[in-house]
Amino acid sequence: HIGESKEYAESLVENEGLVYVNGYDDPPIIAGAGTIGIEIIDDLPEVDAVVVPVGGAGLIAGISCAIKTLKPECKVYGVEPEFCASYCKALAAGKPVPTEVTPTLADGLAVPVVGPRAFEIARHYVDECVTTTEKMISLAVLRLIENEKMVVEGGGATGLAALLPGGALDRPELKGKNIVVPLCGGNIDTTVLGRVIERGLSADNRLCNFVATVTDRPGGIARLTKVLGDNEASIKDIYHERAWLHTNVDHVHIKCVVELQGKEHAIRLKRALLDHGYKLDWDSVDID
Amino acid sequence: MPTQQAWGKKVTCLLKSYFTIIIMVSLTEALDLPTYKDVEAASVILRDVANRTPVQTSRFLDGELGVKVFIKCENFQRMGAFKFRGGFNALSNLTPEERAAGVLTYSSGNHAQAIALSAKILGMKATIIMPEDAPKLKVQATMGYGGNVLFYDRYKEDRDEVASALKEKTGGVLVPPYDHKHVIAGQGTSGKELFEEIAEFGETLDYLFVCVGGGGLISGCALAADHLAPGCKVIGVEPEAGNDAQQSMERGEIVHIDTPKTIADGAQTQHLGKLTFGIMKEKVHKIITVTDEELVSCMKFFGERMKMVVEPTGCLGLAGLKKLVRNGDIPANSRCGVIISGGNVDMSRYCELLLS
């Protein structure tokens, strides 16, 4: 992870006399990032709050310094992926501490230790830092693509993720306010983008997967696909698996990936399949 | 006494009247064409309603092509496509009685959503006639904007008959997707804005690349180009499989084709409109075609380099520019405008194409 890269880079300074420029902790870097804060106040003087993704804390250090200097009553919130909450951990410990990094969609934010200078500045200005889930990050990327036609990388969409319904900043006191969310980056491989979109669709219950147990006799799969068709589920992938079912020798597993219209539709389909007597493995949809 | 001379006079007189009538009829048809004044009027109506979408540039693209490209991003327009402009302008020009009767249209694409949203903003009723097998997402989007959707069986029923019957019953006004004066004028405001915006930096355009479906966008933009930059060559771009506009320009008359197979679903129209062709044949320099692969390549470029989502039809403009640059038809350093028509693409289709 990036911590290891940092150690190696520092060794190159020693051995080869190169100048090391830390990506988030150098004062000029923090100052440069902070120009976003100046532009926000310029473009929207009536801003009430700014929500900033946090990786090494360089961006939020710069932006919060600018915002709080120019408009102290404007709130500044930080958002981190829960899989790498190094800033929140540092706040709790009172200083930067190493954090375990789990692979996250917000790969640009996967920094195990926040920068010490950045931390000192940020803790002075930032009102609060929250975390967000992978699911919310993928939903944020999807919303930006579908509704705003913008391609934003996971880390860049993390601020929005916290503001979405169910997010950590989905709060009554922020409703109706002017909130600026820097979409801080858009460098995402188109192949990775495709996969992130699929995660978002899955989080949105528009792409669902489940396993149905059907009879091995002729017509078994046909009957299943008829139920899917009758319930307007579009089959994206269907896989017939025989060898790993240990109970009934005359039954097989059918793994299905279907395209649906959302949560209501998913619930309807699950109920229909259960009503038809299918044994289902479909945890992500709850029917009450 | 009637002599040959007298008969000759009578015949000449009759012939003169006959030809006068023909000329008057065609002049009357020509008079029905929108002009730049209509585009100006439309821009006033759209001023605080439509998004004034950004004009973007790309150093990477300029370096790659050796020209200066200005991209008008109508994918950031309300409801995700330029169609909002024409739809809203058309509905705004209805009389109070017409508004009360409600609007009808047929489309399963962006025009449907444009009319539904515009009607909602203006407090009007909108009925959109769609084929039963229209994509669910488009049906949902249209309904989401408050439109009433009426389905018909495209294999058994005739769309025009369904529309006429509904018109009889409700007295509603039919606003077609492109062959309409106010629709064309509305679409043209996108070109007008592009020229105005770059003029602030002392720039103008040598070429303007526009996608062509029914011709609404290109004819509107051609009106703007003709007035604001008469030296600018307006070039239309169609999918290779659906080059009815290219054929029409070559033959001098509107050519009809079967629905073409292409990923550019906004350009699957079977023929140009009378009004749109009327403008195009005078003001469009030429029409070129590109392949679906070239569209996908542009879609990936827009996503990766410019961080924006463009639907396949919206990629026609840039794909056309790239093709002509490759062919050596565009002098180095030319100022080239590109209109992105929209960004409404189904998510799983977008993923599929990105991963292809």
Side-chain angles (χ1 to χ4, degrees):
Chain A
H1 58 65
I2 201 130
E4 294 162 339
S5 313
K6 181 168 183 284
E7 280 168 22
Y8 181 67
E10 282 169 343
S11 74
L12 286 176
V13 174
E14 286 251 3
N15 304 339
E16 296 183 34
L18 298 170
V19 175
Y20 176 67
V21 179
N22 180 292
Y24 44 86
D25 211 44
D26 272 1
I29 296 266
I30 295 173
T35 56
I36 294 177
I38 297 179
E39 286 175 18
I40 289 175
I41 302 283
D42 269 346
D43 278 350
L44 195 77
E46 61 269 36
V47 56
D48 297 309
V50 182
V51 179
V52 189
V54 180
L59 177 66
I60 199 168
I63 290 183
S64 60
C65 176
I67 297 280
K68 290 296 191 182
T69 305
L70 296 171
K71 189 176 184 183
E73 64 273 30
C74 178
K75 295 269 195 221
V76 180
Y77 298 93
V79 185
E80 293 190 291
E82 66 179 2
F83 282 2
C84 186
S86 45
Y87 184 82
C88 290
K89 256 198 118 178
L91 275 180
K95 59 181 178 150
V97 287
T99 311
E100 197 187 301
V101 178
T102 311
T104 164
L105 290 175
D107 57 293
L109 304 182
V111 181
V113 189
V114 292
R117 289 190 199 90
F119 179 66
E120 274 315 306
I121 299 167
R123 73 193 298 199
H124 183 68
Y125 292 115
V126 176
D127 291 290
E128 189 186 340
C129 190
V130 299
T131 61
T132 186
T133 62
E134 293 298 293
K135 179 175 162 171
M136 298 303 281
I137 294 172
S138 69
L139 266 180
V141 172
L142 179 66
R143 293 284 179 261
L144 287 166
I145 289 190
E146 266 194 318
N147 297 10
E148 305 302 325
K149 317 302 174 193
M150 289 188 216
V151 174
V152 181
E153 59 185 271
T158 297
L160 180 64
L163 288 162
L164 290 178
L169 292 176
D170 177 18
R171 296 176 183 173
E173 66 265 27
L174 291 177
K175 298 302 172 195
K177 296 278 190 282
N178 298 315
I179 303 185
V180 175
V181 188
L183 301 176
C184 52
N187 285 333
I188 181 166
D189 240 355
T190 41
T191 42
V192 175
L193 180 60
R195 278 186 253 126
V196 174
I197 292 175
E198 284 183 346
R199 298 266 214 108
L201 289 171
S202 169
D204 224 8
N205 285 303
R206 282 155 63 189
L207 200 65
C208 294
N209 72 8
F210 59 85
V211 181
T213 307
V214 310
T215 170
D216 198 16
R217 282 187 242 130
I221 298 181
R223 270 188 292 279
L224 171 68
T225 56
K226 181 161 193 314
V227 177
L228 296 179
D230 287 344
N231 282 278
E232 295 172 340
S234 173
I235 300 176
K236 286 285 138 183
D237 211 356
I238 186 159
Y239 180 68
H240 173 200
E241 203 174 67
R242 304 172 68 153
W244 288 271
L245 189 55
H246 297 294
T247 44
N248 302 35
V249 125
D250 63 344
H251 277 70
V252 290
H253 275 158
I254 306 295
K255 289 180 160 179
C256 301
V257 177
V258 293
E259 202 173 65
L260 302 173
Q261 285 156 42
K263 191 163 182 201
E264 296 302 320
H265 192 190
I267 291 175
R268 268 201 323 269
L269 176 65
K270 186 172 185 181
R271 182 164 285 130
L273 288 167
L274 291 172
D275 287 348
H276 273 85
Y278 287 101
K279 199 161 161 300
L280 277 188
D281 190 355
W282 191 352
D283 287 333
S284 60
V285 173
D286 291 318
I287 308 184
D288 15 71
Chain B
M1 175 139 162
T3 58
Q4 262 186 336
Q5 224 180 21
W7 272 117
K9 269 197 186 153
K10 274 197 177 162
V11 170
T12 315
C13 215
L14 266 171
L15 281 173
K16 270 192 186 163
S17 331
Y18 179 51
F19 282 121
T20 310
I21 291 171
I22 293 193
I23 289 167
M24 280 183 67
V25 165
S26 39
L27 272 180
T28 312
E29 293 226 277
L31 284 171
D32 260 70
L33 292 179
T35 63
Y36 182 70
K37 281 210 151 23
D38 297 297
V39 178
E40 269 183 327
S43 64
V44 173
I45 285 177
L46 290 165
R47 186 169 334 201
D48 292 313
V49 183
N51 293 342
R52 197 178 174 97
T53 55
V55 173
Q56 297 201 346
T57 57
S58 162
R59 284 177 189 80
F60 177 82
L61 192 60
D62 290 351
E64 192 188 41
L65 301 180
V67 297
K68 185 105 188 84
V69 189
F70 299 96
I71 302 172
K72 179 68 169 167
C73 302
E74 286 295 291
N75 48 333
F76 296 141
Q77 186 51 262
R78 292 183 78 164
M79 52 63 54
F82 74 94
K83 293 269 183 182
F84 177 75
R85 297 173 181 267
F88 191 83
N89 191 43
L91 298 192
S92 296
N93 274 285
L94 296 179
T95 65
E97 295 78 38
E98 288 173 322
R99 287 201 198 188
V103 62
L104 305 171
T105 193
Y106 38 74
S107 161
S108 39
N110 289 326
H111 178 68
Q113 293 174 52
I115 291 293
L117 175 59
S118 302
K120 182 178 178 175
I121 296 170
L122 292 167
M124 280 174 65
K125 202 175 64 140
T127 307
I128 293 96
I129 298 164
M130 283 186 167
E132 267 164 358
D133 54 356
K136 283 272 160 340
L137 210 66
K138 298 207 165 166
V139 176
Q140 267 187 323
T142 306
M143 287 177 165
Y145 287 127
N148 301 314
V149 177
L150 196 75
F151 291 106
Y152 75 99
D153 183 344
R154 67 158 112 217
Y155 302 104
K156 297 210 187 101
E157 300 175 82
D158 178 45
R159 178 177 84 173
D160 290 318
E161 281 173 20
V162 175
S164 302
L166 196 60
K167 203 165 139 70
E168 284 277 336
K169 198 169 99 170
T170 62
V173 178
L174 190 67
V175 175
Y178 47 86
D179 211 27
H180 185 289
K181 187 170 177 175
H182 297 305
V183 170
I184 294 170
Q187 320 304 27
T189 59
S190 57
K192 175 175 181 283
E193 283 174 18
L194 171 57
F195 284 107
E196 285 170 350
E197 184 124 349
I198 64 176
E200 283 179 35
F201 297 97
E203 290 278 14
T204 184
L205 294 179
D206 301 308
Y207 298 90
L208 177 61
F209 289 83
V210 191
C211 49
V212 183
L217 180 61
I218 194 171
S219 52
C221 287
L223 289 175
D226 194 48
H227 184 89
L228 298 167
C232 175
K233 295 191 166 79
V234 178
I235 299 183
V237 191
E238 287 186 293
E240 203 171 61
N243 72 334
D244 59 291
Q246 190 182 50
Q247 293 181 51
S248 306
M249 295 281 280
E250 276 162 18
R251 291 220 221 142
E253 58 179 12
I254 299 176
V255 169
H256 288 235
I257 59 171
D258 290 332
T259 302
K261 266 195 154 55
T262 166
I263 58 172
D265 53 289
Q268 281 181 308
T269 33
Q270 295 176 312
H271 59 86
L272 297 173
K274 293 202 181 73
L275 298 180
T276 61
F277 182 61
I279 297 170
M280 286 166 71
K281 63 182 187 188
E282 302 302 321
K283 302 196 193 307
V284 169
H285 179 65
K286 68 172 173 181
I287 311 269
I288 59 173
T289 65
V290 293
T291 63
D292 277 4
E293 285 76 29
E294 289 171 292
L295 295 180
V296 175
S297 162
C298 285
M299 218 173 81
K300 289 181 182 173
F301 163 79
F302 281 127
E304 274 179 346
R305 287 282 177 171
M306 295 189 75
K307 322 301 178 194
M308 53 182 181
V309 177
V310 182
E311 59 184 275
T313 310
C315 296
L316 282 164
L318 180 62
L321 165 59
K322 286 183 135 185
K323 179 170 181 164
L324 289 193
V325 166
R326 263 195 328 265
N327 295 347
D329 294 332
I330 309 279
N333 277 321
S334 296
R335 269 55 187 146
C336 304
V338 168
I339 311 249
I340 289 179
S341 58
N344 288 336
V345 52
D346 167 65
M347 278 296 100
S348 46
R349 161 65 71 95
Y350 189 61
C351 288
E352 242 178 280
L353 293 174
L354 283 180
L355 296 167
S356 68

